[in-house]
Amino acid sequence: MRGGEAASPEGPRSRRCIVLFSYGFRPFFLLAGLWAIVPMVTLLWSLGIQSWPGDAIPLFRWHAHELIFGFVSAAIAGFLLTAVPSWTGQPAVSGPRLTALVAIWAAERIIVSPLIELPAAVALPLEVTFLPALGLALAVPLLRARKTANVVFLFFLGLLFAADLIFHMQLHGLTGSLPFDSLRAALNVVLLMVVTIGGRIIPAFTRNALQQLGRPAETAAPSWLNAAAIGTVALIIVADLIDQDSLLSGLLAALAALLLLARLAHWQGHRTLDVPLLWVLHLGYGWIVIGLALKALWLLAANYWAVNWMHALNSGAFATMILAVTTRA
């Protein structure tokens, strides 16, 4: 990505394959947009009209799992498969390899659904294949180009894979009781990814656009603030693994909200109100602040109206950021 922008998919190589599978953002952003609807509609349908199968994965767990590992994971794939070629100068994953990744993602959605019943020994490997396959597709160009700063995204994918694996192992009765919720852990990892990626692209997009509009501004936050904000969100992952509803988790959420708000203020979002492609990015990042503030209020003050803080992160921050990046691509 040039300054965070998606690299152009045009060229002889991309014209030789089906357009949909010529660049990662095309199939995966499309699938993310379509799949965002499915868990919501299914939840309403199952609660109001058609009962959910009693022997299937519990409805609300499936709903949460598919929003993270279906919707959000597709968006992550679309972003990284588009960004990594620009970061590394290596050819993009396209054609048969990209088609295979899409097929693996789609197969997981079917296998995790209540439509299929398979023995655990058969189902488990099929339910967790996508993230390792995506990581392998990205690892080759990243390591070949020695882009060590971006290898951290492989670590994030590894954490998401671990959370997904634990989720399915528990579902199949292969693990005992654990002190943490694997879906909460996955949500926290996605949060860290959004905080990291947003911190790269939002100030860069804003600076470049304001310069082109003839009103240049400094949009970089101090390095100590960036490190403190990202580090505090990383500590939330650890705190929630130890005790997800603890006083420490609430305090870290409050601190992270303040640090991220300060970071957001440096990005000059108020100067982008006449550029929808820009202000929607700032809005999405602002939802992270709101979600973490609600979490802090719920854990520290037991304010009942803040109980849905996870929806503020999922539907507010993640969905808005994904919509914003999708429209740019």
Side-chain angles (χ1 to χ4, degrees), residues 40 43 63 67 187 287 291 294 307-318:
M40 305 300 296
L43 179 64
H63 167 80
L67 283 176
L187 181 142
W287 269 109
L294 290 174
V307 67
N308 289 318
W309 60 269
M310 279 189 283
H311 289 87
L313 290 177
N314 271 315
S315 301
F318 301 166

Side-chain angles (χ1 to χ4, degrees), residues 244-265:
Q244 63 186 20
D245 291 322
S246 66
L247 174 64
L248 175 60
S249 184
L251 290 172
L252 286 172
L255 177 59
L258 291 173
L259 291 171
L260 291 172
L261 180 60
R263 195 185 194 201
L264 186 61

Side-chain angles (χ1 to χ4, degrees), residues 7 28 55 58 60 77 144 150 204 206 208 227 242 247 261 273 279 282 299 303 319:
F28 279 113
D55 55 352
F60 285 96
R144 185 179 294 163
N150 295 317
T206 304
N208 294 342
I242 298 171
L247 174 64
L261 180 60
L273 297 180
W279 65 250
H282 293 264
L299 294 180
N303 286 328

Side-chain angles (χ1 to χ4, degrees), residues 20 24-40 66-80 102 105-106 109 130 314 318-327 329:
L20 181 63
F25 72 89
R26 288 189 168 135
F28 279 113
F29 282 171
L30 175 63
L31 288 170
L34 294 174
W35 199 252
I37 303 170
V38 175
M40 305 300 296
E66 287 307 289
L67 283 176
I68 295 175
F69 292 103
F71 163 54
V72 173
S73 288
I76 290 172
F79 175 82
L80 291 178
V102 170
W105 179 91
R109 309 286 65 79
F130 175 66
N314 271 315
F318 301 166
T320 304
M321 288 293 290
I322 288 169
L323 177 63
V325 174
T326 298
T327 52

Side-chain angles (χ1 to χ4, degrees), residues 65 68-69 72-73 76 80 128 130-136 151-169 178 180-194 196 230-231 233-239 241:
H65 179 273
I68 295 175
F69 292 103
V72 173
S73 288
I76 290 172
L80 291 178
V128 295
F130 175 66
L131 288 172
L134 175 63
L136 181 62
V151 172
V152 67
F153 292 104
L154 299 179
F155 176 66
F156 291 153
L157 292 178
L159 291 178
L160 281 177
F161 165 70
D164 196 22
L165 179 62
I166 292 170
F167 173 85
H168 287 291
M169 289 180 68
L178 296 173
F180 62 88
D181 181 359
S182 56
L183 292 179
R184 174 83 69 90
L187 181 142
N188 283 335
V189 174
V190 172
L191 174 62
L192 182 58
M193 291 187 73
V194 173
T196 303
I230 294 172
V233 174
L235 288 176
I236 289 175
I237 299 177
V238 179
L241 287 175

Side-chain angles (χ1 to χ4, degrees), residues 278-289:
L278 280 177
W279 65 250
V280 70
L281 285 164
H282 293 264
L283 175 65
Y285 211 86
W287 269 109
I288 300 176
V289 176

Side-chain angles (χ1 to χ4, degrees), residues 86-249:
S86 187
W87 293 341
T88 63
Q90 302 291 316
V93 175
S94 62
R97 289 192 299 157
L98 180 56
T99 305
L101 283 175
V102 170
I104 293 171
W105 179 91
E108 281 192 6
R109 309 286 65 79
I110 296 171
I111 293 167
V112 175
S113 77
L115 304 175
I116 301 293
E117 272 193 63
L118 294 173
V122 177
L124 185 59
L126 298 175
E127 290 167 337
V128 295
T129 304
F130 175 66
L131 288 172
L134 175 63
L136 181 62
L138 298 171
V140 174
L142 282 173
L143 296 176
R144 185 179 294 163
R146 299 181 181 179
K147 294 292 183 178
T148 54
N150 295 317
V151 172
V152 67
F153 292 104
L154 299 179
F155 176 66
F156 291 153
L157 292 178
L159 291 178
L160 281 177
F161 165 70
D164 196 22
L165 179 62
I166 292 170
F167 173 85
H168 287 291
M169 289 180 68
Q170 287 182 306
L171 194 64
H172 292 299
L174 300 177
T175 64
S177 177
L178 296 173
F180 62 88
D181 181 359
S182 56
L183 292 179
R184 174 83 69 90
L187 181 142
N188 283 335
V189 174
V190 172
L191 174 62
L192 182 58
M193 291 187 73
V194 173
V195 166
T196 303
I197 294 171
R200 293 187 179 191
I201 67 174
I202 296 175
F205 286 163
T206 304
R207 181 185 63 251
N208 294 342
L210 290 177
Q211 190 167 13
Q212 291 175 2
L213 292 170
R215 45 179 194 258
E218 179 55 55
T219 59
S223 57
W224 69 264
L225 180 57
N226 291 328
I230 294 172
T232 305
V233 174
L235 288 176
I236 289 175
I237 299 177
V238 179
D240 278 358
L241 287 175
I242 298 171
D243 185 355
Q244 63 186 20
D245 291 322
S246 66
L247 174 64
L248 175 60
S249 184

